[in-house]
Amino acid sequence: MQSKLSWRRLASPVAMCLSITILQGCASSPDDIAACGTVSSYLAPDNSAQLYRVVVTHLDGVPVISRPNYPLSVGKHEFTVAELINAPELKVSLAARKVKVLSVDVSADQRYHIAAQFNIDRIYIGSNQGYWQPIVWQTESHECEMKRKPELH
């Protein structure tokens, strides 16, 4: 009976100390939170307005696996995107279907929806790559919080 009592007496302060340490590690102070905005490619734009979805291949020059949302620090970011235009009027060759770069100046608590704008002002045939350009087609307020990266000393 004596060994159980001393184990309980020891375990309780250890558990309490461990709980406090875990809670302190999980809590975020305001200094740990960075201002950010979000760039999104998940929302299907209006095809009747000649807007189509894009796939992100690179972010700031680094290859990425495309995902619906990119929470980013405030400032300029470059997205390399491929268009997903499935309009029957598109008659350019597959070789002309190249990726393009879109620069987005991200502001805090804003969401930017990106898309491919299909230019239908003239007929594009062969290897002409001017048939589309990447754009931000919609901007909206969106609360964004991102953990600050630890500084290296």
Side-chain angles (χ1 to χ4, degrees), residues 72-85:
L72 298 165
S73 60
V74 171
K76 197 167 286 260
H77 294 277
E78 288 193 339
F79 287 82
T80 304
V81 296
E83 49 85 3
L84 297 176
I85 299 173

Side-chain angles (χ1 to χ4, degrees), residues 5 91 93 99 107 137 150:
L5 280 177
K91 306 262 190 266
S93 68
V99 296
S107 296
W137 68 278

